Amino acid sequence: MDQAWWYSLVLLFFFLLASTKLFLLKQTPVNHLPPSPFALPIIGHLHLIKGSLHRTLSSLSNKYGPVLHLQFGFRTVFVITSPSAVEECFTKNDIIFANRPRLLSGKHLNYDYTTIGAASYGHHWRNLRRFTALQIFSMNCLNKSSLIRQDEIRLLLGKLFKDAQHGFAKVELKSRFSELAFNIIIRMVAGKRYYGDDLEDLEEASQFRDIISENFELSGASNPGDFVPFLQWIDYYGLERRMLTLKAKTDTFLQSLIDECRCSRESNSSCSLQSGNSTLQEETKTTMIDVMLSLQETEPENYTDTTIKGIILILLIAGTDTTSVTIEWAMSLLLNHQEVLKKAKAELHTNVGHDRLMDESDLPRLPYLQGIINETLRLFPAVPLLSPHESSDDCTIGEFDVPKGTVLIINAWAIHRDPKLWEDPNSFKPERFGEMGGEAKKWLIPFGLGRRGCPGSGLANRVVGLALGTLIQCFEWERVSEEEVDMTEGAGLSMPKAKPLEAMCKAHQAMIYTLSGL
Ligand code: HEM
């Protein structure tokens, strides 16, 4: 029998299986499932997904209801756009929904589901969260690592100043923000810089950049085998083969970072730090790998090399593009709203002045700037559907039954633009956060909710705040033409702009003295 026959037979088998499952679901009275569009055998509703997922799901929710049931192949999916349902998911059902669905990328690109982002709720995940809360994201640790961020910002400002010291110059911003975000994380983790013109030819840096960009590509690729298992068995798109190759390359590279640090520790000094600024304080020289290797000495079972590699990887994947696209969206919004840019400049002028660069400790005195960040995250959340959760048991949401193993998708993008929650929801109005006080932020959920919410939100706020604040303080900004900046969303793991941002930039007269000293 030739191959085509085999495929037809397997297809027929699954067709019968899926039809029986759908038939039985309809017959079982205990299942009171949310409304659902007509489903096709085997693929369920996958054929409805065209173009942007958050927009498609938002249209389906508008048609069928704020708690929507979809079938993505064999996976039962609930899509939530109702605030009361979201509240229920992350209060009474928070532990039940604290698992992640097991996708192929979690197996091959997340150390067999053991990274903090892919692990199921349980002892190992709690331990990782405890470690990151205490050793990376605590106020004390963030204050210590602030010098790294300040140094990277100075490098960015210095480069822009070179182009724009004598008058308006056209600058491409996407790649600069991306370099900033990656260098910050990899310096905090390993004390290295891998991005920037000066590092283009460095073999180690270019190897790292290739590995990371492929990790982004494959983690974001939709894999039909995650929903229709027999496609996984035949690896129809060759995705699994690529993941396995990448897994080996990534592991070798991350292991070399650990070994290098271990070697330096053994020769009694901490891991070397490449710095753009030689005056960087001694205290920032302890990298996260250093900290994890010390913990390995006392708790070897909790801090194996694999665990350490998983932490490095997830920080790089979860904490870089999310931050840089947010800065890019915010700058795009400011270029289209010069009146907001003017107000932000005035706030910086009053609270920081022109004699020094703004730093992270100024952020609490800049509420309007915070309003701009909040409003950017509301309109363009970098992770519009949060990360999918999965139920570990049967439960209910409102009147609906949720079977164990249901994938939960929260459409934060739709909630952020719901006219019942936000006045004039599609407009960019940073002042709404001042006027509405704390109440305004209740349904601002770009970092997710509950125990699986983003642990890096504090760090992200600092990086975005520092970058935006200093860019506004130091430069005049204009669009490259009369036309508004194109705000179309592109495709990617974190919601990017379809067109990379370019702008006209000129050093602010009052900041020239400070900028020339960078
Ligand atoms: C603007 C920037 C960022 C946004 C919008 C963002 C958003 C999110 C969202 C929506 C989730 C999933 C929450 C859920 O499942 O309900 C998440 C998880 C996560 N984020 Fe962020 N994030 C940002 C920056 C960062 C940074 C800077 C780091 C660290 C360096 C980070 C580390 C993580 C990790 C480790 C997780 C997985 C948590 C878990 O599964 O337990 N994120 N983030």
Side-chain angles (χ1 to χ4, degrees):
M1 220 184 285
D2 67 11
Q3 238 187 359
W5 262 100
W6 270 113
Y7 287 158
S8 311
L9 263 183
V10 174
L11 213 69
L12 185 68
F13 172 73
F14 276 97
F15 176 81
L16 290 173
L17 202 74
S19 311
T20 316
K21 190 183 169 201
L22 280 177
F23 176 77
L24 286 175
L25 264 178
K26 289 213 162 92
Q27 302 305 304
T28 319
V30 283
N31 276 334
H32 178 36
L33 297 173
S36 183
F38 176 75
L40 293 177
I42 301 179
I43 61 169
H45 299 105
L46 282 173
H47 65 292
L48 298 177
I49 307 303
K50 292 178 190 115
S52 141
L53 185 57
H54 57 274
R55 285 179 184 269
T56 308
L57 294 180
S58 178
S59 310
L60 287 172
S61 297
N62 286 340
K63 195 161 169 199
Y64 292 93
V67 182
L68 167 72
H69 164 215
L70 295 176
Q71 202 63 43
F72 287 175
F74 79 97
R75 292 187 195 260
T76 300
V77 177
F78 279 22
V79 182
I80 311 282
T81 45
S82 133
S84 61
V86 170
E87 204 149 26
E88 244 187 283
C89 293
F90 296 108
T91 50
K92 88 168 189 216
N93 291 327
D94 194 29
I95 292 190
I96 291 181
F97 281 122
N99 277 357
R100 298 277 188 217
R102 295 199 148 212
L103 308 177
L104 197 64
S105 59
K107 181 174 178 198
H108 296 318
L109 306 180
N110 278 267
Y111 287 96
D112 208 8
Y113 312 104
T114 60
T115 68
I116 186 173
S120 290
Y121 180 70
H123 171 76
H124 174 70
W125 173 82
R126 276 198 304 273
N127 195 50
L128 291 173
R129 286 290 294 220
R130 197 175 317 116
F131 163 76
T132 54
L134 290 175
Q135 306 289 351
I136 303 175
F137 302 122
S138 69
M139 181 82 90
N140 190 22
C141 290
L142 288 182
N143 287 345
K144 273 191 186 161
S145 56
S146 71
L147 290 171
I148 290 179
R149 296 186 289 280
Q150 202 166 316
D151 196 45
E152 283 301 320
I153 286 283
R154 281 166 179 269
L155 291 171
L156 167 70
L157 299 177
K159 279 186 195 160
L160 285 173
F161 181 60
K162 256 192 197 158
D163 293 337
Q165 54 182 315
H166 301 304
F168 274 104
K170 189 168 165 179
V171 289
E172 192 274 322
L173 291 172
K174 183 191 170 80
S175 64
R176 297 181 195 238
F177 296 159
S178 180
E179 282 173 14
L180 172 78
F182 274 100
N183 277 336
I184 285 177
I185 298 289
I186 193 66
R187 262 176 86 173
M188 287 169 65
V189 168
K192 305 220 175 207
R193 300 187 75 243
Y194 284 140
Y195 292 80
D197 308 337
D198 44 333
L199 300 164
E200 278 301 299
D201 301 330
L202 191 72
E203 174 59 25
E204 180 184 335
S206 108
Q207 215 185 337
F208 174 84
R209 290 194 299 265
D210 290 349
I211 287 173
I212 291 299
S213 73
E214 207 177 346
N215 265 285
F216 269 96
E217 188 199 327
L218 293 188
S219 303
S222 42
N223 171 25
D226 283 330
F227 308 103
V228 185
F230 81 89
L231 288 178
Q232 204 166 83
W233 301 335
I234 55 178
D235 193 19
Y236 197 66
Y237 294 100
L239 211 58
E240 183 159 24
R241 212 169 347 107
R242 284 184 64 197
M243 282 186 188
L244 285 168
T245 312
L246 178 62
K247 174 187 168 177
K249 268 199 284 185
T250 309
D251 187 66
T252 307
F253 194 94
L254 297 179
Q255 187 64 50
S256 73
L257 289 180
I258 297 177
D259 291 343
E260 193 181 322
C261 193
R262 186 176 278 134
C263 182
S264 315
R265 286 168 61 79
E266 278 162 10
S267 60
N268 234 352
S269 64
S270 70
C271 309
S272 64
L273 243 194
Q274 279 181 26
S275 154
N277 177 353
S278 54
T279 62
L280 206 63
Q281 306 281 309
E282 192 64 24
E283 61 183 334
T284 62
K285 286 196 174 175
T286 307
T287 65
M288 283 180 207
I289 300 183
D290 244 341
V291 174
M292 292 188 273
L293 287 180
S294 320
L295 289 164
Q296 194 178 58
E297 283 163 17
T298 47
E299 297 170 62
E301 67 293 348
N302 286 334
Y303 297 95
T304 62
D305 278 9
T306 302
T307 307
I308 298 175
K309 286 180 276 188
I311 292 177
I312 303 173
L313 190 59
I314 203 76
L315 293 177
L316 284 164
I317 300 295
T320 47
D321 260 14
T322 44
T323 306
S324 64
V325 300
T326 304
I327 305 172
E328 197 186 353
W329 282 117
M331 280 302 287
S332 308
L333 284 161
L334 290 175
L335 286 164
N336 284 347
H337 297 83
Q338 287 288 333
E339 72 294 352
V340 175
L341 186 56
K342 220 166 139 188
K343 277 194 195 175
K345 207 173 242 313
E347 184 182 64
L348 277 151
H349 176 65
T350 311
N351 294 296
V352 184
H354 294 125
D355 300 335
R356 64 173 178 89
L357 275 185
M358 176 217 150
D359 63 38
E360 287 179 13
S361 65
D362 293 311
L363 287 171
R365 287 194 299 281
L366 301 168
Y368 192 69
L369 180 67
Q370 189 57 56
I372 293 173
I373 299 169
N374 288 341
E375 190 67 340
T376 304
L377 287 166
R378 183 182 72 80
L379 288 169
F380 298 99
V383 195
L385 298 171
L386 310 183
S387 289
H389 293 233
E390 190 179 282
S391 59
S392 56
D393 208 343
D394 292 344
C395 64
T396 57
I397 301 176
E399 60 192 294
F400 302 117
D401 293 325
V402 184
K404 177 179 171 175
T406 296
V407 176
L408 181 75
I409 293 180
I410 307 291
N411 195 338
W413 180 86
I415 291 171
H416 286 177
R417 289 175 183 245
D418 182 344
K420 293 194 279 313
L421 301 171
W422 308 91
E423 202 190 300
D424 197 5
N426 293 319
S427 295
F428 177 59
K429 290 186 177 169
E431 27 296 286
R432 72 172 82 235
F433 291 96
E435 287 157 9
M436 290 165 72
E439 191 47 30
K441 283 177 78 174
K442 181 153 187 227
W443 292 112
L444 181 69
I445 52 169
F447 296 106
L449 292 152
R451 61 196 69 215
R452 283 234 68 148
C454 176
S457 60
L459 173 59
N461 259 309
R462 285 180 185 230
V463 177
V464 177
L466 184 65
L468 276 185
T470 50
L471 290 172
I472 297 170
Q473 184 194 22
C474 295
F475 297 98
E476 313 280 349
W477 293 98
E478 285 181 7
R479 295 195 292 257
V480 292
S481 71
E482 293 281 291
E483 262 174 59
E484 295 238 309
V485 174
D486 185 345
M487 301 301 278
T488 312
E489 298 156 9
L493 195 57
S494 35
M495 192 173 80
K497 282 183 86 253
K499 269 194 179 167
L501 178 63
E502 287 180 333
M504 301 303 292
C505 153
K506 181 180 131 187
H508 192 310
Q509 195 59 35
M511 293 301 290
I512 287 188
Y513 179 72
T514 312
L515 284 168
S516 42
L518 294 179

